[in-house]
Amino acid sequence: MEASDETWDSGMACMRLGSGAPLVLLPGLSSDHRGPEGFDRKAQLGAMAPYAAHREVWWVNRLTGLAAGTTIADLARAYATALRARFDVPVDVMGTSTGGSIALQLAADHPDVVRRLVLISSAHRLGPGRRVQRDAAAEVRAGRPRRAMAGLAAATAAHGWSRRLLWIAGWLLEPAMRGRGHDGHSYDDMLIVIDAEDRFDLSDRLADIRCPVLVVGGDRDGFYSPDLFAKTADGVANGQLALYPGVGHVGVVRIRQLPGDVLDFLDP
């Protein structure tokens, strides 16, 4: 199965894999908003593959060159414009982590573009992840990006030993992320998105979301909590919750039953 790398007319970098009814994936926080390369591209395609056996899967990143003060609603509006231009009907959307925040806002503000919504390791607001991301942003702005990436990576783990390993991995891999910036400002968009998600709280809008929503999370998530996942699923008009035990923030996407649970939800 061959993947194609594209850029939508809106300027969003994307990858397409598979065929069938479209499934649009909104990725989590990243150091920049270009298309993935190297190991990152391989990992993203690996996550897309189980769905691409049944769907035309679109991985679509956020716009680059974001203006200071950009909000999650602004990011959702950009996706809504791009989806209307690309598709004639509402499509299924799956957002991971920060991508889930944007996807939830998309469903609340632009219900005409979302048929069904899946949130992976995401909820109507951040929990402990708000402090994690604030600290990471402060480290980047202080000129310590390796500490920022190490802290973010560690928070994705489920256990103490894996947190230590991921802290080291984040520290070691940060120069490769920073090297992708062509003008020395490779983290600018990431910082703006962190600031936007820091202000994000859709508690009062959940009842406005009418499309079916599946909330998927791990009970050891370092950015959210089981309570936040449950409140999101309970707060929307037609929500379901799948909570996996012993799993952290990124471990959810490695659960073998996840693709089956998602596809069963999308095509009941």
Side-chain angles (χ1 to χ4, degrees):
M1 191 184 308
E2 290 293 327
S4 64
D5 295 83
E6 304 179 26
T7 301
W8 282 1
D9 292 342
S10 60
M12 293 173 167
C14 63
M15 297 187 297
R16 179 170 57 88
L17 187 67
S19 61
L23 172 61
V24 178
L25 308 187
L26 278 56
L29 189 70
S30 58
S31 60
D32 63 64
H33 294 169
R34 300 177 179 89
E37 298 175 355
F39 175 80
D40 185 26
R41 184 176 188 275
K42 183 177 180 180
Q44 297 294 348
L45 288 173
M48 294 165 64
Y51 306 101
H54 309 272
R55 295 295 196 95
E56 180 182 70
V57 182
W58 291 87
W59 180 99
V60 186
N61 212 342
R62 294 169 283 280
L63 292 171
T64 59
L66 297 176
T70 294
T71 65
I72 294 296
D74 294 331
L75 298 172
R77 187 181 307 111
Y79 272 108
T81 300
L83 291 174
R84 291 186 188 106
R86 174 65 56 168
F87 305 107
D88 296 328
V89 296
V91 297
D92 295 325
V93 176
M94 182 161 71
T96 299
S97 191
T98 299
S101 298
I102 301 168
L104 197 63
Q105 187 85 54
L106 179 70
D109 293 350
H110 309 277
D112 61 294
V113 301
V114 182
R115 189 186 81 102
R116 284 177 173 254
L117 175 63
V118 180
L119 303 181
I120 305 292
S121 299
S122 190
H124 63 277
R125 65 170 177 84
L126 281 167
R130 177 170 282 128
R131 172 52 59 189
V132 173
Q133 293 187 177
R134 282 179 181 174
D135 289 347
E139 294 287 6
V140 170
R141 288 172 171 134
R144 297 186 292 266
R146 297 187 84 162
R147 290 184 63 87
M149 293 301 111
L152 286 171
T156 67
H159 305 282
W161 63 267
S162 55
R163 280 192 289 272
R164 290 189 288 273
L165 287 177
L166 285 174
W167 195 99
I168 295 170
W171 176 278
L172 293 174
L173 293 174
E174 186 278 330
M177 303 179 204
R178 179 176 6 120
R180 297 187 63 201
H182 301 301
D183 56 4
H185 299 284
S186 59
Y187 289 114
D188 287 357
D189 285 333
M190 185 189 81
L191 292 174
I192 289 170
V193 172
I194 287 177
D195 289 345
E197 195 168 25
D198 189 73
R199 302 186 299 270
F200 172 74
D201 188 341
L202 222 59
S203 302
D204 296 336
R205 297 285 312 282
L206 289 175
D208 297 340
I209 298 172
R210 313 305 297 179
C211 69
V213 179
L214 173 64
V215 181
V216 185
D219 67 357
R220 297 184 66 88
D221 194 302
F223 287 79
Y224 297 93
S225 67
D227 182 60
L228 281 173
F229 294 138
K231 285 184 177 179
T232 305
D234 291 341
V236 298
N238 188 0
Q240 300 178 35
L241 174 64
L243 188 66
Y244 299 139
V247 178
H249 191 66
V250 297
V252 170
V253 298
R254 302 191 186 101
I255 297 294
R256 286 188 177 183
Q257 72 189 70
L258 175 66
D261 288 347
V262 170
L263 291 169
D264 286 346
F265 168 76
L266 295 178
D267 298 302

